[in-house]
Amino acid sequence: MAKSSEGGGHRPARRRRRPLSLLVRGTVGDGPGLELLASLDRMDLPDPETLLADPAGAVLPERGDLRQAALDGVVVAVRNRPERSRWDAAWALLVKALETGPPDVVVVPATTLASLRRDDWDVPASIERLAGVVALSRRADRTTTAVAAATAAKAGR
């Protein structure tokens, strides 16, 4: 949210939020509406274009859900404007996320980003660092499915 330099906090952003506030609160009521608006304020995600412009200097959210949302936003930005430099920058961000936070949040963005590769784009060397995390996640998913099936089979006896 943009802050006003006039000492009034978030005045320009509040003027833009007023119609949204009225719509949300009018639809679901004041209590739930205010809670939703407050949660939107707490979801202070970095701009994907800013992250892509400087992956080395990027500051990713600490919270896992917000980090995942920021990385998903980066992948969407690359999908919307697929260019080699943006694809490479997105991989650099995923590696940074892997090095600075929980590895599970990079699995879905890495898998999706890999699907955006064009034939003439070389696979970056950094993908090797992410491949292990993706493979581990898939193995965990298969194990979970197998355990659930075995448990269901035992319960059905």
Side-chain angles (χ1 to χ4, degrees):
M1 201 177 278
K3 289 188 179 183
S4 170
S5 61
E6 301 167 8
H10 300 280
R11 283 188 193 155
R14 282 193 181 141
R15 276 193 294 260
R16 289 189 304 267
R17 285 296 285 274
R18 184 163 171 68
L20 176 63
S21 174
L22 292 173
L23 177 66
V24 169
R25 290 173 33 230
T27 303
V28 299
D30 284 338
L34 290 172
E35 281 190 40
L36 173 63
L37 293 168
S39 70
L40 289 175
D41 285 340
R42 286 190 299 271
M43 282 192 61
D44 190 16
L45 298 174
D47 176 35
E49 295 299 333
T50 302
L51 295 174
L52 286 168
D54 182 18
V59 177
L60 295 168
E62 291 294 319
R63 263 183 42 196
D65 59 335
L66 298 181
R67 183 174 283 233
Q68 174 103 37
L71 295 173
D72 288 342
V74 165
V75 173
V76 168
V78 172
R79 176 184 290 134
N80 290 340
R81 192 162 45 107
E83 297 170 5
R84 171 70 189 266
S85 61
R86 294 164 60 77
W87 192 70
D88 288 340
W91 282 114
L93 282 165
L94 291 178
V95 168
K96 182 173 188 159
L98 181 64
E99 293 171 344
T100 62
D104 58 324
V105 299
V106 304
V107 173
V108 171
T111 304
T112 306
L113 187 61
S115 74
L116 301 178
R117 181 179 170 266
R118 303 292 164 95
D119 291 337
D120 59 333
W121 293 354
D122 294 329
V123 176
S126 61
I127 201 168
E128 290 300 321
R129 297 165 88 176
L130 295 165
V133 173
V134 173
L136 181 62
S137 174
R138 287 184 178 155
R139 208 172 358 193
D141 287 343
R142 285 192 301 270
T143 301
T144 301
T145 301
V147 168
T151 302
K154 285 181 182 179
R157 288 186 197 177

